[in-house]
Protein backbone atom coordinates (compact mmCIF):
# COMPACT_ATOMS: atom_id res chain seq x y z
CA UNK A 1 0.00 0.00 0.00
CA UNK A 2 1.29 3.42 -0.89
CA UNK A 3 2.52 5.32 2.26
CA UNK A 4 0.46 8.37 1.39
CA UNK A 5 -2.69 6.23 1.18
CA UNK A 6 -1.98 4.81 4.66
CA UNK A 7 -1.70 8.32 6.11
CA UNK A 8 -5.02 9.31 4.53
CA UNK A 9 -6.72 6.23 5.99
CA UNK A 10 -5.27 7.00 9.44
CA UNK A 11 -6.49 10.61 9.31
CA UNK A 12 -9.95 9.48 8.20
CA UNK A 13 -10.11 6.87 11.02
CA UNK A 14 -9.19 9.44 13.67
CA UNK A 15 -11.73 11.90 12.31
CA UNK A 16 -14.45 9.23 12.30
CA UNK A 17 -13.59 8.23 15.88
CA UNK A 18 -13.75 11.86 16.99
CA UNK A 19 -17.12 12.33 15.34
CA UNK A 20 -18.44 9.10 16.87
CA UNK A 21 -17.27 9.97 20.41
CA UNK A 22 -18.67 13.50 20.13
CA UNK A 23 -22.07 12.26 19.11
CA UNK A 24 -22.27 10.01 22.21
CA UNK A 25 -21.83 12.87 24.73
CA UNK A 26 -25.18 13.88 26.19
CA UNK A 27 -25.94 17.49 27.14
CA UNK A 28 -25.14 18.19 30.80
CA UNK A 29 -28.04 18.34 33.21
CA UNK A 30 -28.51 21.80 34.68
CA UNK A 31 -26.81 21.98 38.09
CA UNK A 32 -29.10 23.14 40.88
CA UNK A 33 -27.73 22.83 44.46
CA UNK A 34 -30.15 21.00 46.71
CA UNK A 35 -31.48 22.77 49.78
CA UNK A 36 -29.34 21.96 52.80
CA UNK A 37 -31.03 19.36 54.99
CA UNK A 38 -29.41 21.03 57.99
CA UNK A 39 -30.81 24.45 57.22
CA UNK A 40 -32.71 25.65 60.29
CA UNK A 41 -33.54 29.05 58.85
CA UNK A 42 -37.22 29.92 59.17
CA UNK A 43 -39.01 33.29 58.99
CA UNK A 44 -40.55 32.96 62.48
CA UNK A 45 -37.27 32.16 64.27
CA UNK A 46 -34.89 34.60 65.90
CA UNK A 47 -31.69 34.54 67.92
CA UNK A 48 -32.03 34.97 71.69
CA UNK A 49 -29.46 35.29 74.46
CA UNK A 50 -29.81 34.34 78.12
CA UNK A 51 -26.84 35.87 79.94
CA UNK A 52 -25.54 35.34 83.48
CA UNK A 53 -23.16 38.03 84.71
CA UNK A 54 -20.94 36.99 87.60
CA UNK A 55 -19.64 39.14 90.40
CA UNK A 56 -15.91 39.40 89.66
CA UNK A 57 -13.04 41.33 91.17
CA UNK A 58 -11.15 42.18 88.01
CA UNK A 59 -7.90 42.41 89.94
CA UNK A 60 -8.01 38.60 90.15
CA UNK A 61 -8.26 35.84 87.57
CA UNK A 62 -11.90 34.90 86.85
CA UNK A 63 -13.36 31.72 88.34
CA UNK A 64 -15.17 29.87 85.57
CA UNK A 65 -16.23 26.86 87.64
CA UNK A 66 -19.72 28.23 88.36
CA UNK A 67 -20.33 28.19 84.59
CA UNK A 68 -20.36 24.40 84.84
CA UNK A 69 -22.86 24.51 87.71
CA UNK A 70 -25.23 26.62 85.62
CA UNK A 71 -24.66 24.54 82.47
CA UNK A 72 -25.51 21.17 84.00
CA UNK A 73 -27.94 22.08 86.77
CA UNK A 74 -29.88 24.91 85.11
CA UNK A 75 -29.48 24.90 81.34
CA UNK A 76 -29.20 21.20 80.50
CA UNK A 77 -32.68 20.27 81.82
CA UNK A 78 -34.23 23.18 79.92
CA UNK A 79 -32.37 22.32 76.70
CA UNK A 80 -33.59 18.73 76.94
CA UNK A 81 -37.18 19.75 77.70
CA UNK A 82 -37.34 22.41 74.97
CA UNK A 83 -35.16 20.73 72.35
CA UNK A 84 -38.03 20.35 69.86
CA UNK A 85 -38.20 24.15 69.65
CA UNK A 86 -34.44 24.78 69.63
CA UNK A 87 -33.19 24.77 66.06
CA UNK A 88 -29.68 25.80 67.13
CA UNK A 89 -28.03 26.64 70.44
CA UNK A 90 -24.59 27.21 71.90
CA UNK A 91 -22.76 28.45 74.96
CA UNK A 92 -20.68 31.60 75.08
CA UNK A 93 -18.15 32.23 77.87
CA UNK A 94 -16.09 35.35 78.39
CA UNK A 95 -14.31 37.45 80.97
CA UNK A 96 -13.06 40.86 79.99
CA UNK A 97 -12.51 44.29 81.47
CA UNK A 98 -15.33 46.79 81.80
CA UNK A 99 -19.02 46.39 82.45
CA UNK A 100 -19.43 43.13 80.53
CA UNK A 101 -17.21 41.28 83.02
CA UNK A 102 -17.41 37.53 83.57
CA UNK A 103 -20.37 36.14 81.64
CA UNK A 104 -21.85 32.80 80.72
CA UNK A 105 -24.56 32.76 78.05
CA UNK A 106 -26.93 30.43 76.29
CA UNK A 107 -27.49 31.72 72.75
CA UNK A 108 -30.27 29.96 70.85
CA UNK A 109 -32.38 30.10 67.70
CA UNK A 110 -36.09 29.59 68.30
CA UNK A 111 -39.56 31.07 68.05
CA UNK A 112 -40.76 33.62 70.58
CA UNK A 113 -42.93 31.18 72.56
CA UNK A 114 -40.05 28.77 73.16
CA UNK A 115 -37.77 31.64 74.12
CA UNK A 116 -40.27 32.96 76.66
CA UNK A 117 -40.65 29.52 78.26
CA UNK A 118 -36.88 29.18 78.60
CA UNK A 119 -36.57 32.63 80.13
CA UNK A 120 -39.34 31.93 82.64
CA UNK A 121 -37.92 28.55 83.65
CA UNK A 122 -34.41 29.87 84.18
CA UNK A 123 -35.18 33.15 85.93
CA UNK A 124 -37.62 31.50 88.36
CA UNK A 125 -35.38 28.52 89.18
CA UNK A 126 -34.32 28.19 92.84
CA UNK A 127 -30.66 27.91 91.84
CA UNK A 128 -30.84 31.20 89.93
CA UNK A 129 -32.36 32.90 92.96
CA UNK A 130 -29.67 31.43 95.23
CA UNK A 131 -26.90 32.68 92.95
CA UNK A 132 -28.41 36.16 93.02
CA UNK A 133 -29.05 36.22 96.77
CA UNK A 134 -25.51 35.06 97.54
CA UNK A 135 -24.03 37.61 95.13
CA UNK A 136 -22.33 35.06 92.90
CA UNK A 137 -24.14 36.63 89.98
CA UNK A 138 -25.50 40.16 89.92
CA UNK A 139 -27.71 39.95 86.88
CA UNK A 140 -29.56 37.60 84.54
CA UNK A 141 -30.36 39.21 81.20
CA UNK A 142 -32.66 37.86 78.51
CA UNK A 143 -33.02 39.55 75.14
CA UNK A 144 -33.64 38.96 71.48
CA UNK A 145 -30.57 39.67 69.41
CA UNK A 146 -31.24 42.54 66.96
CA UNK A 147 -35.04 42.33 67.03
CA UNK A 148 -35.36 43.90 63.58
CA UNK A 149 -33.71 40.83 62.02
CA UNK A 150 -35.58 37.51 62.02
CA UNK A 151 -34.62 34.15 60.60
CA UNK A 152 -31.04 34.84 59.46
CA UNK A 153 -28.56 32.17 60.47
CA UNK A 154 -25.61 34.54 60.23
CA UNK A 155 -26.98 37.12 62.64
CA UNK A 156 -24.82 36.17 65.65
CA UNK A 157 -21.66 35.30 63.71
CA UNK A 158 -18.71 37.64 63.24
CA UNK A 159 -19.63 40.00 60.36
CA UNK A 160 -15.99 40.10 59.26
CA UNK A 161 -16.13 36.44 58.23
CA UNK A 162 -17.19 35.42 54.71
CA UNK A 163 -20.96 35.01 54.56
CA UNK A 164 -20.63 31.26 53.94
CA UNK A 165 -18.74 30.84 57.23
CA UNK A 166 -21.17 33.14 59.05
CA UNK A 167 -24.10 30.96 58.05
CA UNK A 168 -22.51 27.56 58.68
CA UNK A 169 -20.67 28.47 61.90
CA UNK A 170 -23.71 28.12 64.25
CA UNK A 171 -23.74 24.39 63.50
CA UNK A 172 -20.07 24.10 64.47
CA UNK A 173 -20.64 26.10 67.67
CA UNK A 174 -23.62 23.93 68.64
CA UNK A 175 -21.65 20.72 68.16
CA UNK A 176 -18.73 22.06 70.20
CA UNK A 177 -21.13 23.15 72.96
CA UNK A 178 -22.79 19.74 73.02
CA UNK A 179 -19.40 18.03 73.31
CA UNK A 180 -18.31 20.36 76.13
CA UNK A 181 -21.57 19.84 78.03
CA UNK A 182 -21.34 16.06 77.72
CA UNK A 183 -17.76 16.21 78.99
CA UNK A 184 -19.00 18.19 82.00
CA UNK A 185 -21.64 15.49 82.57
CA UNK A 186 -19.16 12.63 82.31
CA UNK A 187 -16.70 14.20 84.73
CA UNK A 188 -19.47 15.28 87.10
CA UNK A 189 -20.86 11.75 87.35
CA UNK A 190 -17.48 10.24 88.20
CA UNK A 191 -17.40 11.83 91.66
CA UNK A 192 -20.93 13.09 92.23
CA UNK A 193 -21.93 14.00 95.80
CA UNK A 194 -24.14 11.35 97.37
CA UNK A 195 -27.70 12.04 98.49
CA UNK A 196 -29.27 15.45 98.85
CA UNK A 197 -26.73 18.26 98.69
CA UNK A 198 -26.98 22.00 99.13
CA UNK A 199 -25.85 24.61 96.63
CA UNK A 200 -22.52 25.42 98.36
CA UNK A 201 -21.61 21.72 98.14
CA UNK A 202 -22.56 21.67 94.47
CA UNK A 203 -20.40 24.72 93.85
CA UNK A 204 -17.39 22.97 95.40
CA UNK A 205 -18.17 19.89 93.32
CA UNK A 206 -18.06 21.89 90.08
CA UNK A 207 -14.81 23.55 91.07
CA UNK A 208 -13.31 20.06 91.11
CA UNK A 209 -15.00 19.16 87.81
CA UNK A 210 -13.66 22.35 86.25
CA UNK A 211 -10.11 21.53 87.36
CA UNK A 212 -10.30 18.03 85.87
CA UNK A 213 -11.88 19.31 82.65
CA UNK A 214 -9.12 21.90 82.23
CA UNK A 215 -6.49 19.21 82.78
CA UNK A 216 -8.03 17.07 80.05
CA UNK A 217 -8.15 20.03 77.69
CA UNK A 218 -4.46 20.75 78.27
CA UNK A 219 -3.44 17.12 77.76
CA UNK A 220 -5.78 15.98 75.00
CA UNK A 221 -7.29 19.10 73.42
CA UNK A 222 -4.69 19.36 70.67
CA UNK A 223 -5.27 15.83 69.38
CA UNK A 224 -8.89 15.17 70.33
CA UNK A 225 -10.22 18.50 69.06
CA UNK A 226 -7.77 20.62 67.08
CA UNK A 227 -6.13 17.76 65.16
CA UNK A 228 -9.44 16.18 64.19
CA UNK A 229 -10.96 19.51 63.27
CA UNK A 230 -7.97 20.01 60.99
CA UNK A 231 -8.61 16.54 59.52
CA UNK A 232 -12.18 17.49 58.61
CA UNK A 233 -10.76 20.43 56.64
CA UNK A 234 -8.22 18.21 54.90
CA UNK A 235 -5.15 19.33 56.90
CA UNK A 236 -4.96 22.58 54.98
CA UNK A 237 -2.65 25.35 56.25
CA UNK A 238 -4.22 27.66 58.82
CA UNK A 239 -3.28 31.26 59.49
CA UNK A 240 -2.98 31.96 63.22
CA UNK A 241 -3.23 35.58 64.36
CA UNK A 242 -1.75 36.18 67.79
CA UNK A 243 -4.27 38.95 68.51
CA UNK A 244 -7.02 36.29 68.67
CA UNK A 245 -5.29 34.25 71.38
CA UNK A 246 -6.74 34.80 74.85
CA UNK A 247 -5.66 33.70 78.29
CA UNK A 248 -9.25 33.99 79.54
Amino acid sequence: MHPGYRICLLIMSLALAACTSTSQVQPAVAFVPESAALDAEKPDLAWWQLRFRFVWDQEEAPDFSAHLLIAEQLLLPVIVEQQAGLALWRFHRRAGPGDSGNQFSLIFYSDAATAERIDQQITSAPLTQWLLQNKLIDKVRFAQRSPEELGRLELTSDPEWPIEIQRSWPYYAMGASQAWLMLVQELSQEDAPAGDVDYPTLLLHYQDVDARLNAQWRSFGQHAYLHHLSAIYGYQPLQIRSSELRTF
Side-chain angles (χ1 to χ4, degrees):
M1 182 180 295
H2 190 280
Y5 182 63
R6 290 179 180 174
I7 293 174
C8 289
L9 285 178
L10 179 60
I11 293 173
M12 290 177 64
S13 298
L14 291 174
L16 180 61
C19 291
T20 302
S21 61
T22 301
S23 64
Q24 292 176 348
V25 175
Q26 300 298 319
V29 177
F31 174 68
V32 180
E34 294 185 5
S35 297
L38 294 176
D39 190 358
E41 194 168 47
K42 300 292 185 297
D44 60 338
L45 304 185
W47 284 104
W48 309 81
Q49 183 164 8
L50 184 65
R51 184 181 311 175
F52 299 85
R53 192 175 74 173
F54 289 80
V55 175
W56 172 38
D57 180 359
Q58 297 188 13
E59 297 297 322
E60 301 178 359
D63 180 2
F64 285 141
S65 60
H67 294 193
L68 281 63
L69 169 68
I70 290 174
E72 187 171 27
Q73 297 297 325
L74 270 178
L75 299 181
L76 174 59
V78 172
I79 290 170
V80 171
E81 182 178 339
Q82 302 293 338
Q83 59 184 323
L86 291 175
L88 291 162
W89 61 269
R90 70 178 185 271
F91 296 131
H92 181 70
R93 308 172 72 189
R94 74 173 310 281
D99 293 337
S100 56
N102 179 354
Q103 295 187 17
F104 181 57
S105 297
L106 173 66
I107 301 173
F108 57 96
Y109 193 53
S110 77
D111 58 57
T114 300
E116 290 170 5
R117 285 195 299 271
I118 291 174
D119 177 38
Q120 194 279 328
Q121 287 178 277
I122 295 300
T123 55
S124 64
L127 177 52
T128 302
Q129 298 305 311
W130 181 82
L131 291 168
L132 286 166
Q133 291 166 7
N134 288 270
K135 302 189 184 307
L136 294 174
I137 61 175
D138 62 8
K139 192 173 293 185
V140 180
R141 293 179 178 174
F142 174 72
Q144 183 175 332
R145 298 284 295 263
S146 298
E148 72 278 8
E149 299 284 358
L150 295 178
R152 289 200 295 123
L153 291 176
E154 67 270 23
L155 188 61
T156 61
S157 300
D158 192 322
E160 293 186 2
W161 298 339
I163 187 62
E164 299 87 357
I165 292 181
Q166 290 183 46
R167 290 177 55 77
S168 61
W169 182 81
Y171 292 93
Y172 163 76
M174 179 173 174
S177 296
Q178 289 174 318
W180 177 82
L181 182 54
M182 186 170 183
L183 181 56
V184 171
Q185 285 184 276
E186 293 286 325
L187 293 171
S188 181
Q189 291 171 7
E190 289 177 2
D191 192 23
D196 295 332
V197 296
D198 55 18
Y199 291 138
T201 302
L202 273 180
L203 191 57
L204 291 174
H205 167 68
Y206 284 103
Q207 288 174 356
D208 176 66
V209 173
D210 187 53
R212 287 184 284 133
L213 186 150
N214 293 339
Q216 288 200 356
W217 169 257
R218 283 192 299 271
S219 298
F220 302 101
Q222 178 181 358
H223 185 222
Y225 301 110
L226 302 185
H227 166 77
H228 286 284
L229 180 61
S230 177
I232 290 173
Y233 283 86
Y235 301 105
Q236 295 301 307
L238 178 66
Q239 183 181 31
I240 302 295
R241 293 183 290 180
S242 60
S243 61
E244 294 188 356
L245 299 177
R246 299 287 189 270
T247 56
F248 56 81

